[in-house]
Amino acid sequence: MNDTKSGDDKTLSVTPKKTLTLKRPGLEQGTVRQNFSHGRTKSVVVETKKRKFSLPGDKPEPVAPSVFTPKPAAAAPVAAAPVVQEAPKAPPPPPERSGMVLNELSRGEMEARRRALEGSKAREAEDRLRAQEDAKRRAEEEERRKRERDESARRQAEEEARLQAEAESRRRAEEEARRRAPQAADVATADDEEEAKPRRIGAGGGASAPPRRLATPEVARPAKPTKGEEDRRRGKLTLNSALSDDDARGRSLSSMRRRQEKFKRALHNEPREKVMREVILPETITIQELAQRMSERAVDVVKFFMKQGQILKPGDVIDADTAELVASEFGHTVRRVAESDIEEGLFNIADRPEDLVSRPPVVTIMGHVDHGKTSLLDAIRNANVVSGEAGGITQHIGAYQIEKNGQKITFIDTPGHAAFTAMRARGAQVTDIAVLVVAADDSVMPQTIESINHAKAAGVPIIVAINKIDKRDADPQKVRTELLRHEVFVESMGGEVLDVEVSATKGTNLDKLLEAILLQAEVLDLKANPDRTAEGAVIEAKLDKGRGPVATVLVQTGTLMPGDIIVAGNEWGRVRALVDDRGEHVPEAPPAMPVEVLGLQGTPQAGDRFAVVNNEARAREITEYRQRLARDKAVAKHAGQRGSLEQMMSQLQTSGLKEFPLVIKGDVQGSIEAINAALEKLGNDEVRVRIVHSGAGGITESDVSLAETSGAAIIGFNVRANAQARTAAAAAGIEIRYYSIIYNLVDDVKAALSGMLSPERRETFIGNAEILEIFDISKVGKIAGCRVTEGKVERGAGVRLIRDNVVVHEGTLKTLKRFKDEVSEVPGGQECGMAFQNYEDMRVGDVIECFRVEMVSRTL
């Protein structure tokens, strides 16, 4: 190359030739042959590209540093030492202002700096102690790992020695078999190809194979011929081979390999290594599921039961005790779990104190009906809730949120009527503060006392709001005095309960009431963790025609967002939207915020707790478990009520109990509960209400067919029947009654029950007559001549014949005469003639008692 002419330099510069070098290029190419099934192969070009590793900031050194070379162990403590020593040193002040700063420092600032310095020293000591503990823990961990490695190496050496001993014994056995059967090496090669294939054991002709072939696997085999195109495609399924009768399809190479491995295992009796598992057992489990959890074959478990004398199938269900026995027999450990364990970790998750932040208070407005609870809340919210309630009475629990001085307050308005006791109790359970509204002109009433008891049972503080102080007959002091009887001691009477005199209509002292609420909330120091899964309670639930099941919930901890999967009672769903009390969609619901949740699968019960779960599978599992419990409870309840047919008939004969069946449909679940509770209190030993079905939503055709089957009437509370239901009800002659006020509903049902009561037989005494003489008149019979001694005697009234103070006969008068004339009545002191209907055994001296019977209708 050195003797290249000078004229060629220009040519080389344009098209330079590749210089020969020993250095490998960055991109290498090679050819790899791939093998496929049925003997097919394919050549593939593979490129290998080298990757250079370098650390950022590396300085060029004579020896290039390697990324994989570990740093010296002693480098870390040396580098860390000066950091620990120089940490407590404070930065020096600027030189030009040092003297001025020292002069201007007060004694308090010096003391604060000294405390900060001492705190930093204490933290240094703690850090040093923690570092020593960490070093000690790491040393112990390293020692434990070293022991484990030594133990593993020892076990591995033992296993290798065991395998070597087994191989030696196997080799001796093979030599012995080879010595006994020397003629096996001279077998004719005519059918070597057939004999080289592994035999099918236990099927076909495997039983006729000579046993000496099993003991001599190392038979001389001919060289495998190279397959051509015809041989290679012989095993493939084509249209011609599928339509022809020649079934010459061979086995695949993988199948042959698996069969050879199975043959070798059977030859050397190599048992598979047993894997011990921890089997989790629920209360009931199928045999198939148990076998899967044990990693055993289901047929082996079935064989175990057959040995015990039981014939079971893999799909049969066994209890936990039997499953534990089976798992123990197979050598596994067992951990029992109850079915209720699926609810573990759903509620009451502990929060760390540093994660808690302040939250708004939840305030419940409680008190007697018509004492102005909703009007007071109206005045606070500057809204009009009463106008939306039928008759001006709150039928539902409403939840609202207001803001005062930059602080939010959540209000829950509960109905005050006695029928809503359960709803009011539920409202007290989710609240922090109870505002007891008492009218100054009406004082303490029965529902006021119930509200006090609910608040005390829930353990929440009470604030008394004395309402209607603008009325003339208002007497706030009388309210305070009567509250003393129920152990509610207000501040003005020497107690600790805050009391505020307010007027909802005039708006008097509302600011004072809100300030008292915020003061009480500050004392309670209410906190919650917003950065976790949400939990809370269902305040109300209803079935909306356009939006589906809608639940009003109060978030108690965590933050609820659209897309969360929640479980509420027996229902679950993915949150589709969150709507606040103003009807606006909100992106999230922090703690103590009431919202309407859309997206549930069904309508939960008012008062159910809700929680957010991770996935739909867990939500479905929890709700199925709860629905199963509810069904079992309902079946047990109905079974206890139903009894046998003979018991029912005897009970009806002895007690004469009449039932009034009803199908009740309401707008929300809380109203239905209140109606059911009120109707169950009606009735006596003779009549009672039987609620065939109750639910939230409009009246449908299925409700009409149910009412027709059970002979029930249909009651709609704030709902209406659709066109199909009205047509079906008219055809079946079933009455549908609509109500919007619960009092009217209860009164009508009470009147209907009263109509079912049998009328009362009331007897009125009219008078007595003494028989003086008996006259026997032909064609007429015996007639008694009497004198009326007491009261009077009327014709057509009932009479009794009394002899020696014993009733001999009871019947009616056939005739009543005064002299020869028929008269309607005979007054006292006069004489008359009387004859009985179909009775003539009368004697002188007997007394005839005259009385009137009236049938009086009864009421409950």
Side-chain angles (χ1 to χ4, degrees), residues 594-745:
V595 288
E596 283 187 339
V597 174
L598 280 67
L600 290 171
Q601 301 285 332
T603 308
Q605 299 289 324
D608 286 340
R609 296 182 68 188
F610 80 87
V612 175
V613 296
N614 297 329
N615 48 44
E616 293 185 5
R618 177 162 164 75
R620 197 177 290 111
E621 190 178 10
I622 292 172
T623 51
E624 286 175 357
Y625 164 69
R626 291 179 174 178
Q627 289 169 2
R628 190 162 59 250
L629 280 186
R631 281 196 301 269
D632 295 344
K633 192 180 294 183
V635 168
K637 180 180 177 182
H638 291 152
Q641 292 177 349
R642 189 163 55 240
S644 63
L645 186 61
E646 291 80 10
Q647 289 174 346
M648 288 177 61
M649 297 305 295
S650 63
Q651 183 182 4
L652 285 173
Q653 289 175 359
T654 55
S655 64
L657 185 65
K658 298 178 183 178
E659 289 185 338
F660 183 34
L662 288 176
V663 173
I664 300 174
K665 296 300 288 288
D667 55 344
V668 294
Q669 198 69 36
S671 301
I672 295 168
E673 285 185 11
I675 293 169
N676 292 350
L679 295 182
E680 284 177 359
K681 294 179 182 177
L682 300 178
N684 52 18
D685 296 338
E686 294 184 34
V687 293
R688 71 172 183 186
V689 173
R690 180 169 65 91
I691 299 173
V692 179
H693 171 68
S694 62
I699 301 170
T700 61
E701 197 172 358
S702 61
D703 297 327
V704 176
S705 61
L706 178 62
E708 183 180 5
T709 305
S710 56
I714 299 176
I715 290 179
F717 186 77
N718 285 335
V719 295
R720 289 294 181 270
N722 55 29
Q724 294 88 349
R726 288 197 299 270
T727 305
I734 294 173
E735 182 183 13
I736 301 177
R737 290 208 171 192
Y738 303 111
Y739 297 92
S740 58
I741 299 178
I742 192 172
Y743 313 140
N744 300 342
L745 188 154

Side-chain angles (χ1 to χ4, degrees), residues 334-653:
V334 172
R335 181 160 66 90
R336 296 276 290 269
V337 294
E339 196 175 9
S340 58
D341 290 346
I342 60 174
E343 293 188 349
E344 282 188 2
L346 193 62
F347 296 110
N348 304 323
I349 302 172
D351 293 316
R352 296 184 300 176
E354 57 267 21
D355 296 336
L356 300 178
V357 297
S358 298
R359 66 168 177 84
V362 180
V363 182
T364 300
I365 307 289
M366 307 176 83
H368 190 71
V369 63
D370 201 27
H371 273 203
K373 300 182 300 299
T374 308
S375 300
L376 181 63
L377 189 58
D378 279 349
I380 294 172
R381 294 175 58 223
N382 296 324
N384 189 9
V385 180
V386 170
S387 62
E389 296 283 0
I393 303 158
T394 304
Q395 315 274 344
H396 312 141
I397 291 183
Y400 318 98
Q401 196 168 49
I402 67 158
E403 192 167 337
K404 169 71 175 174
N405 298 334
Q407 294 177 284
K408 292 183 178 180
I409 304 174
T410 300
F411 283 95
I412 297 179
D413 181 26
T414 60
H417 185 254
F420 295 91
T421 301
M423 293 171 67
R424 190 167 56 251
R426 192 177 301 124
Q429 287 169 1
V430 299
T431 191
D432 302 315
I433 301 169
V435 174
L436 184 66
V437 179
V438 187
D441 61 339
D442 202 10
S443 192
V444 177
M445 300 300 286
Q447 275 78 46
T448 311
I449 300 169
E450 287 182 12
S451 300
I452 293 171
N453 295 334
H454 290 317
K456 287 183 177 179
V460 295
I462 298 175
I463 296 176
V464 178
I466 303 174
N467 195 18
K468 302 184 182 180
I469 59 169
D470 56 319
K471 291 199 172 183
R472 291 183 180 178
D473 52 348
D475 188 359
Q477 195 60 33
K478 179 185 175 185
V479 173
R480 296 188 180 95
T481 307
E482 291 194 6
L483 286 174
L484 292 176
R485 292 191 226 162
H486 307 288
E487 300 180 359
V488 178
F489 306 106
V490 298
E491 281 186 337
S492 58
M493 307 289 286
E496 297 180 354
V497 178
L498 299 174
D499 65 312
V500 183
E501 296 181 7
V502 297
S503 171
T505 54
K506 305 290 185 182
T508 310
N509 292 338
L510 295 182
D511 289 341
K512 288 186 178 180
L513 178 62
L514 295 178
E515 287 171 2
I517 292 171
L518 292 175
L519 177 63
Q520 187 70 57
E522 190 175 347
V523 172
L524 293 174
D525 192 20
L526 304 169
K527 291 187 176 182
N529 180 13
D531 302 323
R532 52 159 286 185
T533 55
E535 290 181 23
V538 178
I539 301 295
E540 191 54 87
K542 63 182 179 180
L543 188 65
D544 194 283
K545 185 175 181 180
R547 300 185 295 172
V550 179
T552 303
V553 302
L554 179 69
V555 181
Q556 292 174 306
T557 183
T559 302
L560 186 63
M561 299 183 182
D564 288 344
I565 300 171
I566 65 171
V567 174
N570 296 346
E571 305 295 339
W572 72 277
R574 187 182 291 274
V575 178
R576 204 167 64 238
L578 298 175
V579 184
D580 63 3
D581 55 324
R582 297 177 184 83
E584 299 174 357
H585 288 255
V586 292
E588 61 180 22
M593 181 176 181
V595 288
E596 283 187 339
V597 174
L598 280 67
L600 290 171
Q601 301 285 332
T603 308
Q605 299 289 324
D608 286 340
R609 296 182 68 188
F610 80 87
V612 175
V613 296
N614 297 329
N615 48 44
E616 293 185 5
R618 177 162 164 75
R620 197 177 290 111
E621 190 178 10
I622 292 172
T623 51
E624 286 175 357
Y625 164 69
R626 291 179 174 178
Q627 289 169 2
R628 190 162 59 250
L629 280 186
R631 281 196 301 269
D632 295 344
K633 192 180 294 183
V635 168
K637 180 180 177 182
H638 291 152
Q641 292 177 349
R642 189 163 55 240
S644 63
L645 186 61
E646 291 80 10
Q647 289 174 346
M648 288 177 61
M649 297 305 295
S650 63
Q651 183 182 4
L652 285 173
Q653 289 175 359

Side-chain angles (χ1 to χ4, degrees), residues 774-777 780-784 834-836 839-842:
I774 301 295
F775 302 100
D776 195 353
I777 300 174
V780 177
K782 291 184 178 181
I783 294 179
M834 288 189 283
F836 288 96
Y839 189 79
E840 293 185 350
D841 185 14
M842 296 176 289

Side-chain angles (χ1 to χ4, degrees), residues 44 52 99 167 194 317 367 407 518 813:
V44 181
K52 294 183 180 180
E194 186 65 27
V317 179
Q407 294 177 284
L518 292 175
L813 284 179

